[in-house]
Amino acid sequence: MCVSVLQSSVREQKKLLVENAKLKKDIEQLRIQLQDKQRRRTAKALLSPVPPPSTCSPAPSTPVSQAPSPAGATAASPSSSSSHDRRERQSRRRRGERKARPDSHCLGAEPHLDASRLDLKVGRIISVRRHPLAETLSVQEVDVGENAPRTVVSKLGGKTHLEQGHFVVLLCNVKACKLKGVVSQARLLCCSDSDDLIELLVPPTGSTPGDRITFLNYPGEPDRELQSKQRVWELLQPDLQVDCRGVANYKGCGFEVKGKGLCRAPSLTNCIIR
C-alpha cells in the first residue's frame, strides 16, 4: 500500500516538473515576441515621415527589454498597448495633429551643408583635344588615381591654357552628364575675376593623382554623388574664393592636401572659384 502511494506521488511530481518546464518555455517565447513587436513599433515611430518640430526632441519609444512576467500578463500586454496606440492616433487625427518626430540633427537624417560634401581630388591631365561638335568646348582625359582616367568636358575653350601633364583640382562626385554627345565625369575647378581672365587651380607641389583635398575646419566624408535637386554645389559656390594671398579657400579655410600644402591660383587674387 505504501509503495503504491509513493510511486503515484513520484509520477505526479514528474508530471508537474514537465508541465512547469513547458510553461517556462511558453513564457520565454511570449517575452521574445513582445520584445520583437516593441522594437518594430519603436523603429516605425522613429522613421515616421512627418515634419520635424522646431526643437530637438527624441521620438517617444517603448523600452525594448522588460522583466519576464507571468504568461497571462505577457500575452495580454501587446493587445492592450496596440489598442491604446490606435486610440491615440485617432484622437490626434480628430485634432488635426501629427506625431512629433525628432529634429533632423538628432537622427542625422538631413545631411549638413559644407565643403566636406565635395569630393575634391588632385588630377593630372593625360590628354587634351577639341570637342568634335563645339569649338568652345574641350575634352580632357584626367588621371585621378583610379583604374581608368576620367573624361572631363570643360567650357574653358581658349580662355585658359591646358597642357598634358598639368596638375589640376577636380570635383569628382558631380553627376555624369553628356555635353554635345561626350559624357563628362568630373569638373575642373578654376578661378576668375572676369569672363575673359580664367585660371585653373593648382595643387601643392608634391601632390599625386587621387590625393584628396580637405578643409581643416570641416571634417567629414564627401557624398557618393551630389544630387542635382539638393543644389549642393550651387549653394556652396558663393563661399568658394581665392583670397588676397592667392589661396583657394572655403569660408577662410584653405583647400588642403594633407602633409603637402594648399591649393592656389597661379596669379589671380580676391576672385571667385567656379
Side-chain angles (χ1 to χ4, degrees), residues 180-248:
K180 298 287 185 179
V182 180
V183 176
S184 182
Q185 299 170 308
R187 181 189 185 105
L188 285 171
L189 292 198
C190 60
C191 59
S192 67
D193 60 1
S194 69
D195 289 337
D196 296 324
L197 187 56
I198 299 174
E199 292 180 347
L200 289 170
L201 294 182
V202 179
T205 303
S207 298
T208 57
D211 283 348
R212 189 181 167 205
I213 296 165
T214 58
F215 304 86
L216 181 62
N217 297 337
Y218 302 94
E221 292 300 315
D223 290 12
R224 184 181 297 274
E225 182 180 274
L226 297 178
Q227 301 299 316
S228 55
K229 291 182 179 180
Q230 295 179 1
R231 302 180 68 249
V232 175
W233 171 253
E234 289 80 3
L235 293 172
L236 293 176
Q237 193 175 1
D239 293 313
L240 299 172
Q241 300 178 357
V242 173
D243 63 18
C244 61
R245 300 173 299 155
V247 176

